[in-house]
Amino acid sequence: MEKTIIIIGAGIAGLSAGCYARMNGYAADIFELHTLPGGLCTSWKRKGFTIDGCLHWLVGSNPADDFYKVWQELGAVQGRKFIDHEVLMRIKDSSGKALILYTDIDRLEKHLLELSPQDEKTIRDFTGAIRKFTGMKMPLSPASTWDTVKMFIAIAPYFRALTKWSKVSVQVFSERFSDPFLRKAFRASFDLPDFSMIFMIMTLAWMNAKNAGYPIGGSLEFSQAIEKRFLQLGGTIHYRSRIVKILVENNRAIGIRLADGSEHKADLVISAADGHATIFDMLEGKFVDAEIKDRYAKMPRFKSLIQVSLGVKRDMTKEPGLCGYMLDRPVRIAGEDQKGFSIHNYACDPTLAAPGKTVLVCRFMSDMKNWRELAQDKEKYETEKQKITDTVLGLLESKYPGISEDVEMADVATPMTFERYTGNWEGSMEGWLITTKNAFSRMKRTLPGLDNFYMIGQWLQPGGGVPTGAMMGREILQTICKKDKVEFKASFPETSGK
Ligand SMILES: Cc1cc2nc3c(=O)[nH]c(=O)nc-3n(C[C@H](O)[C@H](O)[C@H](O)COP(=O)(O)OP(=O)(O)OC[C@H]3O[C@@H](n4cnc5c(N)ncnc54)[C@H](O)[C@@H]3O)c2cc1C
């Protein structure tokens, strides 16, 4: 008889674990609180526009990269077109002066040297690192000791540089530029507390290698392709199924209890849901050690977001993609001062809006605490959302005069929205921040004292991300197969994943 696995959450990590479970002959049931797959990797429709809530870049999108194989196994890339952006983002000041993070490294270097020739040493240090990492492949989870050896051999040439750059923050590195504009704009590109340079460098390196494309069709279509693969492999997904408790007997996970009170049993339980809720709610904090307590008490995490999405009756194909604006005076949004804002123009994807129309998205990092209070009073909450839309329209008018007249759809997602639809702790958009202290730290996929239980997903790897989730789903089945003394198997789907 097939061994049974219950997976909590149909985000990318949960779907991936489900696919590899089926490929290896385990019966797999995914329980998901929402009505759709993907978790954070999602999109939604409003008044004929598709709003994307996730993928700016998907690492492993280049068929020459080893990781592409994982996307093929999951049926996510077959028949899918990717756009390799020429620019990661532009950062502009109020005069219109721009730092342009070109994805072509030679072009980026030339641009930076033009902006500030006196900073040549710092610029070449930065672009040299991007060049170096361009050759590095996204490592696959090793299936055997020989694979592990091969992985270490492949990473060895990069080891020193990885160590060096993971320990420098964007804030500290930006101080090395003597040019005031470059210093300020560089910092603004990833202005997060103690944010490791390795994230920015690796992203640019993968983009330079045309290995971090945007999938045409958006994030939900991408997630649905993996859902389809899981279902074709014979897996089952239970939607509208919020898990409130992981059932434990003699320190072994034996199943789950849903909010409706029903219980489901399995040989193994994998939580691919929010880490905090899994450990402290579903398991009532009974399986923790000092390291886990410390992590959840102190480690910085990505904040949540306010996402204002607008559908406009305007062709914006000639306008830049992602643009960050530094403000001379902060703007107050939901009780927080914002030093800047970004406009993400999705005109590159014709599937998101009708011809001649465009989806524009403005995102602000935001704390949950003000929103929890606001959400107590529906009217206040809605008023705040309207106020934010008006503020954003004011900001947009200064860049695109007359744009307010062209707005056909406005949608505001708040930290409450992120929490409600994905269950992530305080609505976090990506789990733990990747800082100079935790880059490459390895978090255990098990909890102390609890058998037959694993955790995967963005709360197990600083920096999170869609490929990380897919990789962990694969990796955890390798671990399970090894424990069961069966050879791990992975295969490509016979039909297109789209
Ligand atoms: C705006 C934005 C842009 C991003 N851009 C990128 C990008 O360009 N590239 C990239 O790689 N990553 C990006 N990310 C990050 C990426 O989306 C996440 O890191 C990744 O999708 C996390 O996947 P996951 O499966 O680990 O977790 P999640 O997506 O959070 O999935 C967890 C799932 O568990 C379900 N769940 C939670 N609690 C329960 C419960 N009690 N019972 C049942 N189900 C439950 C949730 O509903 C959810 O479906 C972005 C994120 C955001 C918000």
Side-chain angles (χ1 to χ4, degrees):
M1 213 176 80
E2 283 181 333
K3 211 168 172 176
T4 53
I5 304 183
I6 281 178
I7 298 162
I8 310 175
I12 298 298
L15 290 170
S16 167
C19 288
Y20 289 109
R22 289 302 306 136
M23 285 181 222
N24 286 282
Y26 294 89
D29 280 70
I30 301 180
F31 290 82
E32 164 58 48
L33 63 82
H34 194 12
T35 52
L36 288 167
L40 286 164
C41 188
T42 196
S43 334
W44 55 99
K45 287 195 195 300
R46 292 284 180 278
K47 296 187 179 171
F49 295 89
T50 302
I51 300 166
D52 205 78
C54 184
L55 286 169
H56 298 50
W57 55 77
L58 180 80
V59 175
S61 64
N62 188 328
D65 191 79
D66 292 348
F67 201 85
Y68 190 80
K69 192 178 111 184
V70 176
W71 294 129
Q72 283 178 302
E73 289 166 357
L74 294 174
V77 287
Q78 288 87 336
R80 195 168 305 284
K81 285 202 183 79
F82 285 92
I83 295 182
D84 290 300
H85 289 301
E86 286 183 14
V87 173
L88 165 60
M89 68 173 100
R90 291 170 167 78
I91 299 107
K92 292 189 178 181
D93 70 7
S94 53
S95 74
K97 188 171 180 180
L99 161 64
I100 307 175
L101 293 176
Y102 289 107
T103 55
D104 178 293
I105 193 61
D106 297 331
R107 204 167 161 199
L108 173 64
E109 192 171 74
K110 187 164 170 278
H111 169 67
L112 293 174
L113 288 168
E114 277 163 11
L115 276 179
S116 179
Q118 72 272 24
D119 281 313
E120 181 173 355
K121 190 169 173 300
T122 307
I123 291 168
R124 291 204 193 275
D125 198 19
F126 173 57
T127 51
I130 300 170
R131 271 199 194 89
K132 181 165 180 76
F133 288 120
T134 294
M136 189 173 132
K137 300 246 167 33
M138 170 102 171
L140 282 194
S141 46
S144 63
T145 317
W146 175 232
D147 277 355
T148 311
V149 173
K150 279 198 297 192
M151 189 181 86
F152 277 109
I153 293 172
I155 289 180
Y158 304 99
F159 198 73
R160 261 186 62 194
L162 282 170
T163 311
K164 170 183 160 181
W165 288 101
S166 64
K167 292 191 185 318
V168 186
S169 70
V170 174
Q171 290 83 348
V172 166
F173 188 76
S174 58
E175 288 304 312
R176 294 192 196 161
F177 294 108
S178 62
D179 178 76
F181 169 77
L182 188 51
R183 192 162 59 232
K184 202 169 154 211
F186 195 92
R187 182 188 175 117
S189 65
F190 288 95
D191 200 3
L192 298 162
D194 196 33
F195 200 60
S196 173
M197 278 293 291
I198 202 70
F199 185 94
M200 182 178 185
I201 286 173
M202 293 305 297
T203 302
L204 282 163
W206 277 316
M207 286 185 136
N208 183 40
K210 302 208 179 318
N211 190 27
Y214 164 82
I216 290 287
S219 302
L220 179 60
E221 259 200 22
F222 181 83
S223 299
Q224 282 173 325
I226 307 179
E227 177 206 43
K228 183 176 166 189
R229 172 78 168 131
F230 175 63
L231 296 175
Q232 279 176 347
L233 281 161
T236 307
I237 308 191
H238 309 257
Y239 286 112
R240 289 192 180 88
S241 298
R242 178 186 288 277
I243 289 169
V244 290
K245 192 173 169 60
I246 295 168
L247 304 172
V248 177
E249 225 173 68
N250 301 324
N251 293 333
R252 285 166 172 263
I254 56 155
I256 47 131
R257 182 180 302 144
L258 300 183
D260 66 8
S262 63
E263 294 189 352
H264 301 260
K265 304 280 172 72
D267 297 310
L268 296 172
V269 176
I270 299 175
S271 177
D274 171 67
H276 189 272
T278 300
I279 297 172
F280 298 101
D281 300 335
M282 297 179 213
L283 287 164
E284 298 165 336
K286 289 180 180 160
F287 302 94
V288 287
D289 56 18
E291 193 275 316
I292 293 171
K293 277 191 201 158
D294 201 53
R295 188 193 310 161
Y296 280 87
K298 296 193 190 135
M299 199 182 279
R301 53 181 190 267
F302 281 92
K303 281 190 184 185
S304 193
L305 290 176
I306 301 168
Q307 170 162 334
V308 181
S309 310
L310 301 167
V312 294
K313 195 175 54 186
R314 196 182 275 207
D315 179 352
M316 301 194 65
T317 38
K318 301 264 181 324
E319 302 299 332
L322 177 57
C323 216
Y325 295 92
M326 299 183 286
L327 292 166
D328 292 338
R329 264 183 302 129
V331 58
R332 196 134 182 97
I333 295 205
E336 287 175 85
D337 278 340
Q338 302 282 352
K339 291 185 282 182
F341 70 104
S342 65
I343 303 175
H344 198 150
N345 166 11
Y346 282 90
C348 69
D349 187 344
T351 69
L352 304 187
K357 300 187 181 186
T358 309
V359 178
L360 297 176
V361 173
C362 292
R363 295 189 179 95
F364 303 90
M365 292 272 177
S366 178
D367 253 332
M368 174 61 99
K369 62 175 187 306
N370 300 331
W371 287 100
R372 226 181 266 298
E373 217 179 289
L374 278 166
Q376 303 291 322
D377 182 332
K378 184 133 180 51
E379 208 181 306
K380 266 196 193 159
Y381 181 76
E382 292 304 325
T383 309
E384 190 61 41
K385 280 178 31 170
Q386 187 55 50
K387 246 169 75 186
I388 293 171
T389 309
D390 295 343
T391 308
V392 164
L393 283 175
L395 293 168
L396 274 175
E397 277 290 333
S398 64
K399 310 299 164 203
Y400 299 109
I403 195 101
S404 310
E405 310 272 292
D406 294 342
V407 173
E408 292 187 343
M409 176 280 295
D411 175 85
V412 183
T414 75
M416 295 301 290
T417 321
F418 284 94
E419 187 186 64
R420 187 165 67 250
Y421 287 110
T422 73
N424 274 294
W425 191 24
E426 300 293 279
S428 173
M429 63 162 284
E430 209 164 333
W432 306 114
L433 272 178
I434 182 161
T435 69
T436 61
K437 300 182 189 65
N438 69 10
F440 309 119
S441 62
R442 165 105 194 157
M443 295 165 180
K444 283 196 185 133
R445 301 340 184 206
T446 52
L447 291 176
L450 184 60
D451 283 340
N452 296 355
F453 173 79
Y454 298 94
M455 280 176 74
I456 54 171
Q458 64 175 10
W459 293 95
L460 277 296
Q461 176 75 58
V466 169
T468 307
M471 176 61 86
M472 273 191 224
R474 194 176 195 269
E475 204 183 81
I476 212 66
L477 261 297
Q478 287 177 336
T479 305
I480 292 168
C481 286
K482 196 169 171 193
K483 218 170 159 201
D484 287 345
K485 298 191 171 49
V486 295
E487 196 188 337
F488 173 79
K489 293 190 287 294
S491 57
F492 292 164
E494 277 158 27
T495 52
S496 155
K498 211 176 163 190

